[in-house]
Amino acid sequence: VTFRVREGADYVIRRLRYISRDSVLLSLVVADTAAALVKEGQRYSHANLANERARIANLLRDNGYFRFDAATITY
């Protein structure tokens, strides 16, 4: 088996938007963006997205959303 790999430019996160029907939940997440692991202008990293999903889930659980499931966060 022979693999030929052509590397291109890295994907860069150009814009982040936080969307939620729950305004309290949204305000908690937006207020904590300084601690975010994913930021605009940053190179795409699957690990960073997974870690950010876990960070937001913990933040929300710590603020009363005890049954919040990280799987509900989509990118």
Side-chain angles (χ1 to χ4, degrees), residues 10 12-14 16 18 21 24 27 31 33 35 37 40 44-45 52 57-58 61 64-65 69 72:
D10 293 337
V12 175
I13 298 170
R14 291 190 183 148
L16 290 173
Y18 298 95
R21 292 182 198 163
V24 175
S27 66
T33 55
L37 304 174
E40 290 181 1
Y44 170 85
S45 166
E52 178 67 357
N58 288 332
R61 288 182 197 129
Y65 291 85
D69 184 0
T72 62

Side-chain angles (χ1 to χ4, degrees), residues 37-52:
L37 304 174
V38 175
K39 300 181 190 271
E40 290 181 1
Q42 182 181 48
R43 286 187 304 172
Y44 170 85
S45 166
H46 180 72
N48 281 356
L49 289 176
N51 292 333
E52 178 67 357

Side-chain angles (χ1 to χ4, degrees), residues 1-2 5 10 17 19 21-22 25 27-28 30-31 33 35-36 39 49-50 52 57-58 65 68 71:
V1 176
T2 303
V5 178
D10 293 337
R17 287 187 334 176
I19 302 168
R21 292 182 198 163
D22 184 329
L25 181 150
S27 66
L28 287 169
V30 170
T33 55
K39 300 181 190 271
L49 289 176
E52 178 67 357
N58 288 332
Y65 291 85
F68 186 83

